Amino acid sequence: MALRMWASSTANAVRLSCASRPPLSPAFSLSRCFSSVLDGLKYATSHEWVKHEGSVATIGITHHAQDHLGEVVFVEVPESGGPVKKGSSFGAVESVKATSDVNSPISGEIVEVNTKLTESPGLINSSPYEEGWMIKVKPSNPSELESLMGPKEYTKFCEEEDAAH
Amino acid sequence: MSQARKVGLPLMNLVRFKGVPILKQLHLEEKLLRTSSDNWCIINNGTNSPTVVMGLSGKPSDLLDLESVLQDQVPVIKRFTGGGTVIVDPGTIFVTLICNRDAVPGVQPYPRSIMYWSGMLYSEVFKGIDGFQRHYVFGNSKFGGNAQSITRERWIHHTSFLWDFKARNMAYLKLPSRAPEYRLARSHMDFVCRMKDYMPISVFIDKTVKAIGNHFSVKPLDLDVNAVAADFDDAKFVHTTRLLMKQELEEALSVSTRELCHQS
């Protein structure tokens, strides 16, 4: 059963993490002034990111996704210990009167959930790759990471997707 | 629209109901969103009895006059889409669109993109009505509200239209703490208006179907809600939309009362 988390909503302006040093990644993509795609992560076509470190993979939604979704006012994530399946929904975010599925890029077991999102769902907007992480997973099939996109491929994917609409 | 142009349009099944209970309608919608690969338009002319419907993140103690809701035994539903709280009844008309992500050219599966397109759609419906403004407004009063849910491959956009309503039902709803700027802290009665004062119901529904027909090849299906729901395999499907238990509402009231006591 999903862990429901309500939040007192505060307006969080989107802040691109160019000035701060994110602990997740040592370097930014230099393709733009304010980077919205980080090196060292893998990306899904449904706009989630994965950071694989040792036996744990951290998952969240990308800057591109939070920008298109608008102000996130509520986050629904599963309880720790449950399974996730590649390509399937594990939770949702609410923004601008819409609930949007968040899908897992990989399969595995949830080992940790970001409980800060209870009171601060806006972290997904202000810090999508750092404090806005959603779940940590123990991958059951690490080879699934190989089918995900790298930073350059994902950047191009986003540009093409936006250009098509 | 010419027949030649209609040929290339995606198919949309049109289902029309009258007086279907809103919980049943929402269960059907959620199931069609998650398990169907067709595009659907559902029009339900009124629900059978007054019901409060909250969005996914709705908190009863913040949004409802719980004492009145419990005393009058008004059902409270938490739906699978986002957005605010409404009270619906036989005077409410529901129009729902469930689409595959690529069904409408130029629409991305994000809330603002979907609402921009639906805003244009309904502008076609209400064009020429004195005082009409985008986002379901006549003059400075709202006559409808919408919400969405977006999956990887599909999205739903559903709207409840205030054809008519009873003022006493509005009293079950508190002023939301989080409201759009245009609301200007108005009470419900100062914020909403009745569609029936502006256009006949048959004109509204006909124009809505016609507007949808500019984007889809509409195929009416003459089925009852139970038959449509049974058409889809739901072995692994679990509804998110649910009716809140009386105990939950009582606990919410109890917590809310304790908080008020601590503050005073």
Side-chain angles (χ1 to χ4, degrees):
Chain A
M1 188 175 179
L3 174 66
R4 306 276 173 156
M5 297 192 282
W6 286 272
S8 55
S9 160
T10 56
N12 285 290
V14 171
R15 298 175 63 183
L16 301 172
S17 53
C18 196
S20 62
R21 296 273 309 162
L24 287 176
S25 172
F28 289 94
S29 159
L30 297 176
S31 61
R32 53 186 74 196
C33 179
F34 286 100
S35 174
S36 61
V37 179
L38 299 191
D39 288 336
L41 306 185
K42 299 287 262 182
Y43 298 88
T45 55
S46 48
H47 301 286
E48 293 87 11
W49 57 264
V50 186
K51 175 71 174 180
H52 190 202
E53 295 174 294
S55 62
V56 173
T58 306
I59 294 168
I61 68 169
T62 65
H63 168 80
H64 176 96
Q66 66 79 28
D67 184 51
H68 281 60
L69 285 170
E71 183 193 352
V72 175
V73 298
F74 173 73
V75 180
E76 179 183 88
V77 288
E79 290 178 352
S80 193
V84 289
K85 187 181 164 191
K86 178 182 168 71
S88 292
S89 168
F90 67 80
V93 295
E94 182 180 348
S95 65
V96 198
K97 301 194 288 184
T99 54
S100 298
D101 279 1
V102 183
N103 303 293
S104 183
I106 57 172
S107 307
E109 179 194 341
I110 301 167
V111 295
E112 193 177 344
V113 166
N114 187 354
T115 54
K116 284 185 183 175
L117 297 176
T118 307
E119 289 300 318
S120 304
L123 288 174
I124 286 186
N125 294 117
S126 61
S127 186
Y129 299 112
E130 304 167 47
E131 294 179 86
W133 68 272
M134 295 183 74
I135 59 173
K136 291 184 193 279
V137 170
K138 184 179 168 186
S140 57
N141 184 0
S143 66
E144 287 176 338
L145 287 156
E146 293 164 23
S147 63
L148 299 173
M149 292 181 280
K152 286 181 184 171
E153 198 182 348
Y154 178 64
T155 300
K156 188 180 173 199
F157 174 79
C158 292
E159 288 169 355
E160 287 174 352
E161 195 175 73
D162 281 345
H165 294 91
Chain B
M1 176 180 284
S2 69
Q3 286 298 114
R5 206 172 141 208
K6 279 192 179 181
V7 166
L9 296 177
L11 192 67
M12 176 171 273
N13 298 321
L14 170 65
V15 180
R16 294 175 66 160
F17 301 129
K18 184 168 173 60
V20 166
I22 186 60
L23 183 62
K24 189 167 275 192
Q25 177 185 332
L26 288 168
H27 278 171
L28 173 66
E29 289 179 1
E30 195 175 357
K31 195 170 184 184
L32 290 177
L33 174 70
R34 295 271 176 200
T35 65
S36 170
S37 55
D38 289 347
N39 301 308
W40 293 86
C41 174
I42 299 167
I43 299 177
N44 185 18
N45 186 354
T47 190
N48 61 329
S49 66
T51 306
V52 170
V53 185
M54 299 192 303
L56 182 73
S57 62
K59 213 171 170 187
S61 56
D62 288 348
L63 299 164
L64 307 180
D65 179 345
L66 284 167
E67 283 188 19
S68 300
V69 165
L70 283 161
Q71 182 178 308
D72 296 345
Q73 298 181 304
V74 180
V76 177
I77 290 171
K78 184 166 279 193
R79 64 180 187 263
F80 66 103
T81 54
T85 305
V86 292
I87 175 122
V88 299
D89 63 21
T92 310
I93 301 176
F94 304 91
V95 179
T96 297
L97 298 167
I98 302 171
C99 296
N100 290 312
R101 63 177 283 152
D102 295 325
V104 184
V107 173
Q108 287 202 38
Y110 294 108
R112 288 177 292 212
S113 182
I114 295 166
M115 286 198 293
Y116 181 79
W117 174 77
S118 71
M120 288 201 302
L121 182 89
Y122 283 112
S123 291
E124 296 170 36
V125 176
F126 298 111
K127 189 177 171 184
I129 304 284
D130 221 23
F132 171 69
Q133 300 180 55
R134 279 174 73 96
H135 308 302
Y136 318 110
V137 172
F138 290 136
N140 63 353
S141 298
K142 286 206 79 168
F143 60 86
N146 68 60
Q148 283 74 234
S149 186
I150 303 165
T151 70
R152 204 162 71 147
E153 298 299 329
R154 289 161 70 71
W155 50 263
I156 180 170
H157 171 91
H158 58 192
T159 308
S160 58
F161 290 95
L162 293 172
W163 181 256
D164 194 5
F165 59 84
K166 289 182 169 43
R168 59 181 161 84
N169 285 343
M170 292 292 169
Y172 293 122
L173 307 180
K174 282 184 182 176
L175 259 180
S177 57
R178 189 174 70 221
E181 204 175 302
Y182 59 76
R183 175 131 190 182
L184 301 170
R186 286 178 281 170
S187 69
H188 282 92
M189 290 310 301
D190 291 333
F191 180 56
V192 296
C193 63
R194 296 174 173 84
M195 276 179 74
K196 69 176 189 178
D197 296 334
Y198 292 86
M199 69 194 306
I201 193 168
S202 58
V203 170
F204 166 63
I205 291 179
D206 287 349
K207 282 190 161 189
T208 297
V209 173
K210 187 181 173 189
I212 293 168
N214 289 332
H215 303 274
F216 294 90
S217 177
V218 177
K219 176 187 163 189
L221 288 183
D222 192 17
L223 295 170
D224 68 53
V225 64
N226 297 310
V228 175
D231 278 349
F232 300 97
D233 178 17
D234 65 345
K236 293 181 183 176
F237 179 70
V238 177
H239 290 292
T240 302
T241 300
R242 65 185 186 89
L243 184 67
L244 271 59
M245 309 288 284
K246 183 181 170 191
Q247 187 182 353
E248 290 177 89
L249 299 174
E250 287 171 339
E251 281 172 9
L253 176 59
S254 174
V255 167
S256 174
T257 305
R258 279 202 303 273
E259 285 173 356
L260 275 172
C261 289
H262 284 138
Q263 284 170 16
S264 60

